[in-house]
Amino acid sequence: LAGTSARHSPRFKMEKKVLQADAIPPTWLISTIIALTAVGVVPSLTYHKSGERLKLWPPSPLAINLVLAGLGCIATLYIIPGFRQMFIKAGLYGIDLNKNTTKRDKDGALVRDENRKIIGIKISEANGVISGMMFLVIMFLYIPFAFADYYPQGPESFPHMKLTEFVTALLSIACMCFLGFADDVLDLRWRHKLILPTVATLPLLMVYWVNGGVTYVMVPNFLTGILGEAIDLGVLYYIYMGALAVFCTNAINILAGVNGLEVGQSVVIALSILANNLVQIQRLTHENRRENHMFSIVFMIPFLATSSALLYHNWFPSHVFVGDTFCYFAGMTFAVVAILGHFSKTLLLFFIPQIANFLYSCPQLFKFIPCPRHRMPALDPKSGSIGMSFCEFKPDSLHPLGRLIYKTFRNLRFVYVEPIADKKGWVRMNNLTLINWTLFVLGPMREDWLTIALLSEQVACTGLAFVIRYKLAALLYNVVE
């Protein structure tokens, strides 16, 4: 086999050992989670809905949320390894193609068995359903505490409308987890992936309509003379919210293919949302708008807790795969807090890498340039590094628009192109994904370093998003809230 020496290397033995282990979390990790939870709980003990300082006991709902999130994180860390073999026995597994533990022939091509299945260590799939279900358990347990400040005031003042929105948000997330798991089991087509998030948002959109949610958007300064200060989009706003859920779920799903990337980018986005919420709570004076961001915070903290636990098991070398379930769960959670928290445009700013990846991928997604089934980067068995993956085609045979895109990308050096020696007129071009573009710019690297590079791009774009949101927006709007 190619890479035989690599299969006896310490790196190969380390990968095999980790992949076959139960991956029980170490004591230091549990201690760190407890410490971080305690650090977060102390300043939040007396923070109640209006931000006023009250007595130390009973603790504030935010403190309860942090404690539940910490416990949920620890539980998720232990539950995931317990379901690994169960998922594999049920046929929910995959083979990590970018590992030396996957069998290859002398030319480096993947080896298949008599059933045409790739030979390698089985990695359990769809483990995102575990983090999703644990998130829902945390949030269900949190419901009595979320409205504790209203109990002394009597049933007449209880905010039933807010409770309805809270429960409906969880219903939409639960629906998305179920539909995402169905996708992992049934391997649905892409056209179905566009429909599922729309179905899952129906409860949220209907409650939003019943509660008289706003459907207007502010108009930039240079258009106020024509359109006024705001314009009511009506039903178009609901279409926009449904499209937001579709985009968030599929954007995370498209930017994938290396260990830890799906969960890692979701953790960075969640941290960005949380930072924005904290900034807005300090800036805003209107109580309802502050509560909108508090609503987002109590969703983001448990999401970060359960997702971080999943990231521990999904980091290189991956012990489990997250599956489409996690991408659907994460995308819907982001869409829910942005819609009900009324910061959907800000959310899109945190998706700059995902938007760039989608736009860069469009020529292949819409078949103007040949698109192979898998566009993930490729492993060099000898060096163990990850490099670009390629598609092969004859430029003259492309659609006219495809030829224009190809020539533009080549001239602007957005792609790597080389002629194929034994095929006259044919070329090899890197597949159009942000992952391959990063490898084109930085060169081949180890898989975990590739994930770190991509997450660094996500963090850098978050900084750009905050500049746009709080600095450049002031040039277009009189009031930036």
Side-chain angles (χ1 to χ4, degrees), residues 265-276:
Q265 64 182 296
S266 299
V267 167
V268 174
I269 292 172
L271 287 171
S272 305
I273 293 173
L274 190 59
N276 179 67

Side-chain angles (χ1 to χ4, degrees), residues 313 322 346 375:
H313 292 289
V322 301
T346 302
R375 301 187 298 161

Side-chain angles (χ1 to χ4, degrees), residues 80-244:
I80 288 176
F83 277 83
R84 178 175 177 269
Q85 290 300 325
M86 186 181 301
F87 280 25
I88 292 175
K89 289 180 181 178
L92 291 173
Y93 66 85
I95 306 297
D96 198 334
L97 304 183
N98 288 332
K99 295 293 183 297
N100 282 321
T101 51
T102 302
K103 199 172 183 180
R104 288 175 169 80
D105 61 21
K106 62 181 182 180
D107 296 321
L110 296 169
V111 175
R112 299 176 182 269
D113 59 17
E114 61 275 6
N115 296 319
R116 301 295 299 164
K117 292 185 177 181
I118 297 171
I119 301 175
I121 295 177
K122 296 178 180 179
I123 310 294
S124 61
E125 273 273 16
N127 286 267
V129 72
I130 297 176
S131 63
M133 291 302 102
M134 186 54 63
F135 168 84
L136 291 172
V137 169
I138 294 171
M139 296 305 294
F140 289 144
L141 292 175
Y142 174 69
I143 289 177
F145 303 98
F147 301 93
D149 289 330
Y150 296 96
Y151 296 160
Q153 304 174 23
E156 296 81 9
S157 61
F158 188 84
H160 292 93
M161 185 180 297
K162 293 183 181 296
L163 175 61
T164 302
E165 289 184 347
F166 195 99
V167 174
T168 304
L170 295 179
L171 176 60
S172 290
I173 295 172
C175 288
M176 200 70 262
C177 288
F178 169 75
L179 295 173
F181 190 69
D183 185 11
D184 281 324
V185 174
L186 302 176
D187 192 18
L188 300 176
R189 295 180 180 274
W190 268 105
R191 61 174 176 268
H192 300 138
K193 295 177 187 286
L194 298 177
I195 298 174
L196 294 182
T198 306
V199 174
T201 55
L202 286 177
L204 181 66
L205 297 181
M206 294 302 100
V207 170
Y208 190 88
W209 177 71
V210 170
N211 288 346
V214 297
T215 57
Y216 66 84
V217 293
M218 301 300 296
V219 175
N221 293 338
F222 62 88
L223 291 176
T224 54
I226 302 174
L227 301 175
E229 293 185 356
I231 181 171
D232 190 351
L233 297 180
V235 69
L236 294 178
Y237 195 83
Y238 289 88
I239 296 175
Y240 160 71
M241 290 189 291
L244 180 68

